[in-house]
Every structure is written in C-alpha cells, then in structure tokens.
Amino acid sequence: MVVFKRLDGRKSEEMRPITAKVGIIPNADGSAMFSFGKTIAIAAVYGPRLLHPQHMQDPQSAVLRVNYDLLSFSVSDRKKPGPSRRSQEISKVTSWALTPALDLKEFPNTVVDVQIYILQADASTRVAGINAASMALAHAGIPMKNLVCAVAIGKLDKELVVDVDKNEEDFKEGEAATDFPIAKLANSNSYTLLQMDGNIQPNVVSKAIALADKACEKIYEVQKKALKEVVESQ
Amino acid sequence: MSSMNTSSLTQEMLVRMFAAGKRFDGRKLLEMRDFTIEYNVSNKAEGSARVKLGKTEVVVGVKMEVAAPYPDSLDKGNLMVSGDLLPLASPRFESGPPKFNAIELPRLVDRMIRESHVIDLHKLIIKEGEKVWTVIIDVYPINDDGNLIDAAGLATIAALMNTYIPNLDEAGRIDHESKSTKKLPLTEGTVPLSFTFFKLGDSLIVDPTREEEEACEGKINWGISNWKGKEHMLHSCQKGLEIPLTREEIEFMMQTLPKLYDDTLKKLKKFLK
C-alpha cells in the first residue's frame, strides 16, 4: 500500500504537538489549558459549592455540570455567543465522559461546575476540552479514580489517522473524512466518550480504538507532568 | 434527572433476567420488536411516514422549501432535521424549551442521514449559487414506549423514500396545488438505519421498552447503512449516559450490528412502496 501523506506531513499515528498547563485561572478552584497543535482549550472548575435551585440538588452526590463552548473569535466565521444545539450536546457528552472518573458521593447537594472554552479551533476541540477539564478537576482536588484522556481518531479515505485537524476534517476523496472522538479512563478498558461522523466499516472500529489507546497513553503522561509541575511549584 | 425512575426492584430484576438472556416480553436481548410503517400521515407534507415499533409510535414529515444555499456549500441543497418530544407522547415529556433528549433525537437522525449521503443534495440545485431546495425533516414521537431514536430512524428513511419535490410556478414559487411526480433524489442502494444498544449490568440489549430503557445505565447509538449497496458502513455514533463501555462490548456490537441491520432492512423492504 502507498504510504499515506497527511497534509501537514505527520505520520498516521502522530499527534500534533501537545501542550498542557495547570493553574491558569487564579479565581478557579482548578484550571488547565490543553492544546493539540493550533487547537487550544481552557477549563475552569468551581466547586463543590451549594447547588441552587434546591430541587436540582442530589442528596447522595454532587452534581457535575459541564459547559463547553467556542469563544466567538475561535473559528473563521464568528460564532454567535451563547449556547447552540451543538455546544449543548458537547457539554452533555463531556459530562458523561468525565463522570466515571469522579467520586462525587462525598459532596451531597452541591455542584461541581466545569467551564470549558475553546480559544482557537483547529478541529478536535471537544477532546482537547475533555483533556483540559480532566486536569482542572484534579487540580481542584475533586476526588478522582483516574484521569480522563481523549483524542479524535480520523479516517481519511481508507487510512486511519490520529488527532485530526481542520484540513483533514474537510477531506473529500474516496471514503472521505471520518471524525471519531474517543475518551477513556487512563490506562484502562473503560471508554467514556464515543462519537463518530463519517464512513467507517464496523470491522475498522477496533483498529481506531487501538490507535486511541496508544495516543491516550501519551496524553496521560503530558497531563500528569503538567499536574506535577504545579504541585512542585507551590 | 427523571422524576419517574424505574424502581430499583425492577432494575435488579432486569439485571438478573438480562444476564440469563431473558426479557419480560419474551424477546431475545438483541431482538427488535416487530414494526409497521404507514405512509401519508399528512397530505400537506412532501413525504411522511408513521412507524409503530411495538407500542412506540413516531411520525416523520418532510417539507421542501426554496432557499439560498449555505455560503460554504453553494453546490448543494440544504438539509435540516428538527423535532420535539411533545407532551402528547408521554407523561414524562414537558412543554417549554427543549431539554437535552429533545435536542439529541433530531441531531442523531441528522447525522445518520447527512453522513450516509442518502439524499443526493447535489441534485437539489434550482439555480446554481442562488436557489436550492432545503429538505426539512421533522420528527415527532406520538407514543413513547422506548427506543424512540431507532423508530425515528425507520420513519425518516421511509418518509424520505416517499418524498416528492413540489412543482414551481412561473414566478419560482412552490405550487402546492399541482401534484408532483418528481421524487426526492436518493443515493441508490444506501439505506441508513439507527440501532441503539443499551447496557444494564454486563448485558447489552437492543430496542428496549420504556421500562427497560429507564432501567438501563448506558447506551450507544449507531447509524449504519449498506453504503451504495456495497458494504456495511457506520455513519454516526454517540455514546450516552455515564457508564463506560469496554473494548469487548464495542467489538461485540461491531460483530452483531451487520446482522441486525440486514434483518431490519429485510423487514423494512416489505413496507417500501
């Protein structure tokens, strides 16, 4: 088979340069930045704090409340500020992706607010947001069983690639572009986010997941390092 | 946040029954309920269908409008999917701004239809760069007895296969009076369908009743087609709820989905006109 060339010269399994920083928003109880190449996500955690209105409280656990959105100038065509159906859906699936890592039973009737914003979008924004939020939750000292690591696997025609960027998302040849964001608890067999758009054969899915596993191992190391840095500097 | 949760007794019972491969209604874990499809729910719609999947009932109507193309796709018609969970269909649905489930349902249908390219949007140009057809699909549950999304998928494809593009009068306006014989252009051989697996304990089931659905702790929706009649192709996926899935569970679904699809397509074909 011909070796597939990605537009920016990366190898199929190569992610864009990853950067992560913890403790970027002094007001927040926990905060972090995560970026895949030009995609930059920041996240802040506030809480656990008393949840109002009272009828939304859970007497057995804290409630995780996630808000994901693009800042208006993070995309080519200005995004109208305020929630869209897309951002509401991503907020929800992000909350589902993070919850299995958390132990919220210690904080009944409270809410843990996770605010995720994209400063600059070059695809893979929801997974960058999940990686940032996972670090911010740890930074806030919320009891966690594990970190959550996320990456978008792509399929361009028949070739699987790791960490899709915007150019790749717009790929139109052959079987065109497939975007397959995946999140998991680090170093585990627990997948907490699976979404997909495009064209992928059922027997290719496990190959995509194996690629995500490898990428998530690297992401986990970067997340741990960023968390250690902030602890050591204090 | 449902105010009408299944009792934990029912849930414990279902965990045990599913583990033994059994269900209250005698079905196997991966067995869909029988379904029927009727057409012409409304003669004002350009296409419509009603699906009854067990006691779950969903109607889908397709309206066609003349509109400007989107700036980033001047060479294509537009597709919009919307809908609502009307309080008509269940004591659990409330009026007011759409809650998450009401947002998710049309978005899942949208992705399955859009990504499969079953509608040939390139053939929906009226005047290049200026005027195109917008296909608007509206999904409304009439009775919710579980698995609305898969019922909505069936109703959507059935409605699309019976959608006609209205005639335009001399001024370019839609002529609702004359009967059109021009069918909506669909991609030959591609029939996208939705299948959602639900997880309770260590078991995976499909097509839950309302009671089963409420007891389940995890779910994942797949949009799949027989892409241009060539091979099974997944077009969309969304995992829901907080329970993680394992690699083995994902692989199990990948092995079972093609047969589920083929069996359901065979049943669907009996109702196609």
Side-chain angles (χ1 to χ4, degrees), chain A residues 54-97:
Chain A
Q54 211 171 3
H55 69 84
M56 288 176 71
Q57 294 178 356
D58 181 343
Q60 291 174 342
S61 168
V63 172
L64 182 72
R65 189 162 59 184
V66 175
N67 177 49
Y68 157 101
D69 214 341
L70 299 161
L71 288 185
S72 52
F73 51 75
S74 66
V75 280
S76 303
D77 294 323
R78 179 175 185 266
K79 193 242 164 208
K80 201 168 134 264
S84 62
R85 286 177 173 243
R86 173 184 177 274
S87 71
Q88 283 173 273
E89 184 179 86
I90 294 179
S91 299
K92 195 75 181 180
V93 296
T94 299
S95 158
W96 287 331

Side-chain angles (χ1 to χ4, degrees), chain B residues 10-29:
Chain B
T10 309
Q11 197 182 37
E12 282 166 29
M13 178 67 147
L14 283 172
V15 171
R16 283 203 303 275
M17 284 182 69
F18 290 169
K22 290 180 183 164
R23 297 171 80 163
F24 285 149
D25 57 11
R27 279 186 291 153
K28 298 193 190 93
L29 300 189

Side-chain angles (χ1 to χ4, degrees), chain A residues 189 191 194-195 197 200, chain B residues 111 234 238 245 247-248:
Chain A
N189 186 17
Y191 297 85
L194 295 158
Q195 278 188 312
D197 280 316
I200 188 165
Chain B
R111 295 222 288 272
L234 299 166
Q238 180 146 306
L245 291 169
R247 197 175 301 125
E248 293 72 26

Side-chain angles (χ1 to χ4, degrees), chain A residues 151-171:
Chain A
V151 69
I153 301 301
K155 181 169 159 286
L156 311 177
D157 187 13
K158 292 179 188 305
E159 184 79 12
L160 289 173
V161 298
V162 177
D163 181 28
V164 267
D165 62 30
K166 185 78 179 86
N167 274 328
E168 293 177 333
E169 228 178 44
D170 297 338
F171 187 85

